[in-house]
Amino acid sequence: MRRRADSARRSDAFFLFCVYAAAAFFVVIVAALFVMLTKGSWLSLQTFGLKFLWTSEWNPVNNTFGALPLIFGTVVSSLIAIVLAGLVGILAATFLADFAPRWMARPLSFTIELLAAVPSVVYGLWGLFVLAPLIRSYIGPALQKTLGFLPLFQGPIYGVGLLTAGIILAIMILPTVTAISRDVIAAIPEDQREAGMSLGATKWETIRSVVLPAARTGIFGALILALGRAVGETIAVTMVIGNRPVISASLFAPSYTLASVIANEFTEATSDLYLSALIELGLLLFVVSFLINAMARLMMWTVFRDK
Amino acid sequence: MLVWVLAPALRLHVIKEVFVKTSLLQRVALGALIAALTAPAVAGTQLTGAGSTFVYPFFSKAFYQYSAKNPDVTVNYQSIGSGGGIAQFTQKTVDFGASDVPMSSDELKRAGDPVIQIPDTLGGVAITYNLPGVPNGLRLTRKLVADIFLGNVTNWNDAQISRLNKGVKLPNLPIIAVHRSDGSGTTYIFTDFLSKVSPDWKSKVGTGKSVSWPAASSVGGKGSEGLAGQVANAAGSIGYVELSYALQNHLNTAALQNAAGKFVSCSVGNVAAAAASKPNISATDFSIVNQPGANSYPIAGYSWVMLYQHGSDRAKSKVLHDLFAWLVSQPAQSMAGALDYVPLPSSVQKTAQATLKTMTF
């Protein structure tokens, strides 16, 4: 008996060690990333200081670097993506969990998850050769005709630009939003739905006031995870965003993201300051992701605290 | 699977992109791969190099042929971009580097040991455009190209353009100036040209592999394929691509007025004429844009190989010397011609050979 207890205690300690080590692994990786990025961008941090954050000139020829348009492009393209993917994803998840008959739900889920397996360069090519011409010839003009009074839809339409990048990103993060939301919604106990129905609520009312509120934290988590992917996506965005560091009110205008600049310019950057500025963009991307995550958590906490 | 069934357009484009457009490169790469897999493991000299993507198709084919003739030499070339090539060469993790622009004096200082730089091939930069109803060979002056990319000329019906193109119906379309968004030797040669022909460009923008594009209608495409895709998508677009890319993809290209006042198309012959008009080039005086001569195409440039003059491994230095002495000789250069590169003029071949002779081993 004694020996059995000893070995049990030992294996327990070993298991505990593994659990702690696995958790510590993430902390170490994140810390190491932060240290390396800071070290690499030191020259740029010293040269430009905080000015790096709110100046708009990105000029490798005379070594002047400012990241404001890149931060703008990253945040706006990701926001477009999360709004579009959130709408479609949550609706699709509701359908899969509550409406679709079993013979339909399975293949449909499979199809949606398949989207996640498509390499991002394929999305980029599709965006450049199919979506961009569609936006230039049909979607853009239609939006301009109906909503053209908004500054968002004014100005020349190039095909590539913020809107195109946002749509491509939305398609790319849709599987994450849908798959997780579907699992969360499906996990809501059936008796809660039945309770709603028995009070005389229609199917829509039940979903709106019983199912979705119960699933909101999980759905929110899905959106945050998807947003993380959108912020850091590189190749597909680079191919369709137009790669111009400007801030424009129009969604049709070209833009540029932090990740795209790094992908475009890192291989041919030779001066020390230039390289350092590019690494600082990496650091910024890290900080932007961190802030988005923190803000989302804060929002979740304040909005849902007393419900 | 449904994605593939539902989107034949997607499938078509992917297939086109992956299999048709890059077929040349793929064939070369596949050949090299098969050769590498089937070759018996010989204990010979292994050379590694890194750098320019522009020369990659030429290098793969040339090194493959060289290894076929000299089975004890294998060359592994990584096309990671000129900047990366210079960095690896400086850190001595590769035996040679390749760059679309020779190393600057600052970069040479960082390398420490003496470096020799020789031209390996050259290329032209073609101006391509998408104008419905306008055929190949639109005429443009050097100043107009600069004004378009500066954003001073903004519509295709501008009188300055129509005056040059009598009999061509130019549409009333805003001009979209498309550039390469990735740092690239092609951009360097193009902006070198613009700086030489336009004082405005020189003072406002300058020369570089990535620059701050001034035109209000500018859009950036990643890689030659991204740029060409953007031009093909949007009527009214104008952009610049390597000559070989323009030829292989049958793009419309403009005829430019050269320093002699003649309108010349971007062709292998006209780029060769530009190179031949400047027989003495060196790593510090290498620009061949805006050259005199009736046939000289005005936007062209060399690609370069970097080697250490006094390598620590003497046997390896000898092998490197022999390899590159062959690469800049006529047989290898005519092979470059078959791949739509422009062969080095014979005077430049001689200079390169003389520079290689200064290596010690």
Side-chain angles (χ1 to χ4, degrees):
Chain A
M1 266 331 254
R2 178 88 184 265
R3 196 175 291 161
R4 160 88 182 84
D6 269 358
S7 95
R9 207 173 300 133
R10 263 201 306 277
S11 72
D12 213 30
F14 178 68
F15 174 68
L16 216 62
F17 170 77
C18 288
V19 174
Y20 274 99
F25 179 71
F26 288 101
V27 180
V28 170
I29 291 280
V30 169
L33 255 177
F34 187 76
V35 169
M36 286 313 293
L37 287 172
T38 314
K39 225 175 117 189
S41 52
W42 197 245
L43 181 65
S44 169
L45 285 166
Q46 274 183 325
T47 312
F48 303 112
L50 283 175
K51 217 176 69 191
F52 194 76
L53 296 180
W54 61 71
T55 50
S56 298
E57 195 187 351
W58 185 264
N59 191 339
V61 177
N62 56 20
N63 268 328
T64 315
F65 300 105
L68 188 62
L70 314 175
I71 300 171
F72 173 84
T74 306
V75 171
V76 175
S77 62
S78 303
L79 281 180
I80 298 172
I82 207 71
V83 168
L84 294 177
L87 272 174
V88 178
I90 295 169
L91 287 175
T94 311
F95 174 76
L96 286 172
D98 278 357
F99 292 87
R102 186 173 283 260
W103 63 266
M104 197 193 229
R106 285 250 172 115
L108 206 56
S109 300
F110 178 71
T111 312
I112 290 169
E113 277 153 27
L114 203 70
L115 280 179
V118 177
S120 51
V121 66
V122 174
Y123 281 114
L125 288 171
W126 180 78
L128 183 62
F129 289 103
V130 181
L131 184 63
L134 275 180
I135 292 208
R136 184 176 156 82
S137 327
Y138 303 104
I139 302 172
L143 280 171
Q144 224 157 36
K145 214 181 236 169
T146 48
L147 297 164
F149 57 91
L150 292 169
L152 285 180
F153 301 106
Q154 288 167 3
I157 305 167
Y158 298 99
V160 295
L162 265 176
L163 182 66
T164 318
I167 294 176
I168 286 288
L169 279 175
I171 298 173
M172 293 178 76
I173 62 177
L174 201 54
T176 312
V177 177
T178 313
I180 301 179
S181 303
R182 179 203 57 208
D183 290 349
V184 172
I185 293 171
I188 306 293
E190 201 53 39
D191 45 10
Q192 291 200 15
R193 289 188 180 82
E194 282 162 12
M197 297 288 217
S198 65
L199 288 172
T202 62
K203 197 134 194 183
W204 158 237
E205 283 166 341
T206 312
I207 285 166
R208 196 192 53 186
S209 41
V210 178
V211 178
L212 289 182
R216 70 189 172 218
T217 19
I219 292 174
F220 209 76
L223 292 178
I224 295 300
L225 198 65
L227 194 60
R229 179 166 186 203
V231 168
E233 174 52 44
T234 309
I235 293 300
V237 173
T238 307
M239 296 182 91
V240 298
I241 200 162
N243 300 308
R244 193 163 110 218
V246 287
I247 296 178
S248 163
S250 170
L251 294 184
F252 297 131
S255 183
Y256 218 159
T257 68
L258 294 165
S260 295
V261 178
I262 299 174
N264 271 327
E265 300 187 3
F266 199 79
T267 49
E268 297 290 339
T270 38
S271 95
D272 286 338
L273 185 58
Y274 190 10
L275 266 176
S276 181
L278 286 170
I279 297 172
E280 191 175 347
L281 293 185
L283 183 67
L284 267 179
L285 194 55
F286 192 80
V287 173
V288 167
S289 318
F290 178 80
L291 283 179
I292 287 179
N293 236 307
M295 265 174 356
R297 264 160 220 284
L298 196 72
M299 207 166 96
M300 194 153 80
W301 187 68
T302 48
V303 172
F304 300 142
R305 187 176 34 173
D306 29 58
K307 282 191 184 165
Chain B
M1 291 317 287
L2 204 58
V3 181
W4 291 89
V5 178
L6 285 179
L10 164 73
R11 196 172 43 188
L12 197 73
H13 278 291
V14 171
I15 290 170
K16 206 168 131 195
E17 274 303 303
V18 177
F19 296 103
V20 181
K21 285 201 177 162
T22 58
S23 64
L24 178 75
L25 200 105
Q26 283 216 330
R27 254 180 289 150
V28 173
L30 198 68
L33 185 71
I34 291 168
L37 291 176
T38 52
V42 202
T45 312
Q46 287 251 358
L47 300 174
T48 55
S52 160
T53 48
F54 165 68
V55 295
Y56 179 65
F58 171 45
F59 273 11
S60 319
K61 184 159 186 205
F63 294 154
Y64 172 64
Q65 294 239 331
Y66 192 77
S67 292
K69 273 190 279 179
N70 305 274
D72 52 336
V73 180
T74 47
V75 189
N76 170 15
Y77 180 72
Q78 302 150 15
S79 60
I80 56 171
S82 302
I86 290 174
Q88 290 212 7
F89 177 71
T90 305
Q91 289 156 9
K92 300 200 170 72
T93 49
V94 292
D95 301 313
F96 67 92
S99 173
D100 300 336
V101 183
M103 285 168 77
S104 65
S105 53
D106 271 359
E107 287 165 344
L108 289 171
K109 225 173 277 163
R110 223 171 302 161
D113 299 329
V115 171
I116 60 167
Q117 308 196 69
I118 53 163
D120 53 62
T121 182
L122 76 150
V125 177
I127 304 290
T128 180
Y129 52 87
N130 172 0
L131 284 173
V134 177
N136 191 32
L138 176 80
R139 290 177 157 207
L140 292 172
T141 60
R142 291 161 297 168
K143 183 175 180 304
L144 258 175
V145 176
D147 278 338
I148 286 172
F149 278 88
L150 276 166
N152 296 340
V153 172
T154 56
N155 195 304
W156 284 108
N157 65 10
D158 194 291
Q160 296 178 72
I161 307 176
S162 44
R163 201 181 307 137
L164 297 171
N165 296 280
K166 297 263 160 60
V168 177
K169 175 105 182 63
L170 284 157
N172 172 15
L173 263 178
I175 299 179
I176 303 174
V178 189
H179 62 263
R180 285 276 293 272
S181 62
D182 50 331
S184 131
T186 311
T187 300
Y188 183 93
I189 294 170
F190 184 59
T191 52
D192 181 27
F193 160 76
L194 292 175
S195 294
K196 290 265 158 54
V197 301
S198 158
D200 252 16
W201 185 274
K202 192 174 179 183
S203 63
K204 280 187 194 153
V205 186
T207 306
K209 290 178 190 168
S210 292
V211 302
S212 174
W213 296 90
S217 71
S218 69
V219 169
K222 183 170 168 59
S224 297
E225 68 287 358
L227 185 143
Q230 177 57 30
V231 171
N233 277 347
S237 296
I238 182 168
Y240 58 92
V241 288
E242 285 149 22
L243 165 63
S244 52
Y245 189 87
L247 289 177
Q248 283 156 20
N249 292 285
H250 311 291
L251 303 179
N252 274 348
T253 58
L256 297 184
Q257 190 176 42
N258 63 16
K262 296 270 190 325
F263 285 92
V264 283
S265 61
C266 188
S267 68
V268 171
N270 291 342
V271 172
S277 70
K278 181 163 177 165
N280 294 312
I281 57 148
S282 69
T284 47
D285 177 20
F286 55 87
S287 171
I288 51 163
V289 299
N290 202 27
Q291 284 297 304
N295 293 324
S296 296
Y297 182 76
I299 324 176
Y302 287 95
S303 175
W304 299 78
V305 166
M306 289 89 65
L307 298 161
Y308 284 106
Q309 195 167 16
H310 314 295
S312 51
D313 183 341
R314 289 181 159 218
K316 202 177 235 182
S317 292
K318 168 92 171 75
V319 178
L320 276 169
H321 169 274
D322 294 350
L323 169 69
F324 285 105
W326 172 77
L327 192 83
V328 297
S329 70
Q330 195 52 44
Q333 287 298 314
S334 35
M335 190 160 64
L339 293 172
D340 293 327
Y341 291 86
V342 181
L344 298 174
S346 55
S347 57
V348 175
Q349 289 181 22
K350 282 198 194 99
T351 318
Q353 298 282 8
T355 314
L356 279 170
K357 288 225 167 68
T358 65
M359 283 176 81
T360 55
F361 43 81

